[in-house]
Amino acid sequence: MNLQSLYALTAALLGGVAVYFAIQPLTRIGRGAGKALSDFVGSTDDLDRGGPQEAVAVGSEKHRIRLAFQDFGLDVSGREETAQWAARIVAIVLIAAAVILSGLPQLSALAALPIGWLMVKGTIDGAWRKRRQAVERELPVFLSRLAGVTQATPNVIDALDDVGNTLDPDGPLKAWVGRFTSRLQTNGQLGLQEGLEEAYAISPSLGVTAFEIGRLWETGGSGYASAFSSAPDNLSGVLQARAIAISKGEGARGSIRVILLALLGAILLMTTNPYTRDILQKPVIQIGYLIGLAWVALGWTFVNGTIDEAVL
């Protein structure tokens, strides 16, 4: 494949993707990436009027895809799978073009298939991870304020409303508090159960917080409100330990990135060296590069998944 053919193929594929996004009503620019959790799962107004945004379970694959595309200013509600495939195609084409234009063996461009696929998966998982961490960062402050307000306000619903209004308006925790409060008001025990399931799906720490709030709402009384005041201290220790673990995990990711960049640099040097350039054209060497690049992509995904399971 010569460069002209590569340019034509790249232009055709990117042009097709561009036309798709222009025709489909996917984009609603102007909504912040950290918008309310109700935007992530489908609002009641959209559902009532039969709009395109369907409610999805928090933490589900569709939910994570919505979050990832919201980071790029795109709303793909109701078309998550199509948008995911479009992103995979764009990633694969761009990576293949970069491999060939960099002078690497052309057969190595086939590694763009697993690399592009896994890159999109990593972006989706990363968007979900970012929201979970944003929730946990605000939890200690939220609990401290709620413990103080419940001492003066025996009504848990009113206390949640008051404290929720003090949280970051664009943060996911404020949106969750609003949804949790609404569920308690409208559905009672059923709403509490739904809120607990959603909270645990987002973060174990948020699940414990929802459980404590639920017990306070069910039990009431100054005695339990006083006992609830110790929850911020207890949970802050857990969150601090998790923050340290997350920090170490990010450090491990950074080290792996440095290693991968060094490996890529060494490969590029070999392609520019006249003594090794001819060797790279041998089919056996090209197949070796293809397997090596694919293995690197799989290893990066495995390490990322292991770190997430360990700290989240």
Side-chain angles (χ1 to χ4, degrees):
M1 179 184 293
N2 55 34
L3 291 181
Q4 290 183 344
S5 299
L6 176 64
Y7 291 145
L9 176 62
T10 303
L13 289 174
L14 294 181
V17 174
V19 170
Y20 167 80
F21 278 100
I23 294 176
Q24 298 291 341
L26 288 175
T27 58
R28 287 203 288 265
I29 307 295
R31 303 177 62 183
K35 199 65 175 166
L37 193 64
S38 57
D39 291 338
F40 301 162
V41 299
S43 66
T44 304
D45 291 339
D46 283 334
L47 297 175
D48 288 344
R49 65 171 177 265
Q53 190 170 14
E54 61 173 314
V56 295
V58 172
S60 65
E61 185 67 16
K62 287 186 176 182
H63 173 216
R64 299 186 185 201
I65 293 172
R66 290 183 185 183
L67 294 182
F69 277 87
Q70 281 180 3
D71 285 344
F72 296 95
L74 302 173
D75 183 358
V76 297
S77 303
R79 298 178 177 85
E80 294 86 358
E81 186 173 351
T82 303
Q84 185 181 35
W85 274 104
R88 287 168 177 165
I89 292 172
V90 171
I92 290 171
V93 169
L94 292 179
I95 293 172
V99 168
I100 294 176
L101 293 177
S102 65
L104 289 173
Q106 293 188 359
L107 188 60
S108 302
L110 293 177
L113 291 171
I115 293 175
W117 188 286
L118 296 173
M119 181 180 293
V120 172
K121 180 181 184 302
T123 302
I124 293 172
D125 292 342
W128 174 234
R129 181 171 60 249
K130 182 173 68 175
R131 266 45 172 227
R132 297 177 73 181
Q133 293 176 1
V135 167
E136 292 194 348
R137 279 196 298 269
E138 278 197 286
L139 268 183
V141 175
F142 166 69
L143 275 174
S144 297
R145 292 174 181 172
L146 184 61
V149 173
T150 52
Q151 295 292 324
T153 305
N155 190 310
V156 177
I157 302 297
D158 292 341
L160 285 171
D161 282 334
D162 293 340
V163 177
N165 291 330
T166 66
L167 297 173
D168 180 4
D170 291 328
L173 182 57
K174 176 180 172 62
W176 176 84
V177 171
R179 289 174 62 84
F180 186 65
T181 305
S182 176
R183 281 173 168 152
L184 291 179
Q185 285 180 310
T186 57
N187 297 327
Q189 288 292 335
L190 178 60
L192 174 60
Q193 185 62 34
E194 293 174 350
L196 286 172
E197 292 176 359
E198 182 178 274
Y200 277 110
I202 297 172
S203 163
S205 300
L206 184 61
V208 173
T209 299
F211 175 79
E212 292 291 344
I213 295 174
R215 289 293 300 275
L216 178 62
W217 175 69
E218 291 175 326
T219 307
S222 58
Y224 199 87
S226 178
F228 180 79
S229 62
S230 63
D233 295 333
N234 297 333
L235 190 58
S236 63
V238 176
L239 291 175
Q240 185 177 5
R242 287 173 61 82
I244 295 174
I246 291 172
S247 177
K248 291 184 179 295
E250 292 301 326
R253 285 192 179 95
S255 299
I256 296 172
R257 290 190 189 100
V258 172
I259 295 173
L260 293 180
L261 289 175
L263 177 62
L264 180 59
I267 293 174
L268 291 176
L269 285 176
M270 292 181 65
T271 61
T272 58
N273 190 321
Y275 296 101
T276 58
R277 186 184 306 159
D278 294 337
I279 299 177
L280 296 179
Q281 302 306 317
K282 295 182 177 181
V284 175
I285 301 299
Q286 293 193 22
I287 293 174
Y289 267 107
L290 173 61
I291 295 174
L293 291 174
W295 187 257
V296 166
L298 290 172
W300 168 253
T301 303
F302 174 78
V303 171
N304 264 333
T306 302
I307 293 174
D308 286 342
E309 288 179 4
V311 302
L312 295 177

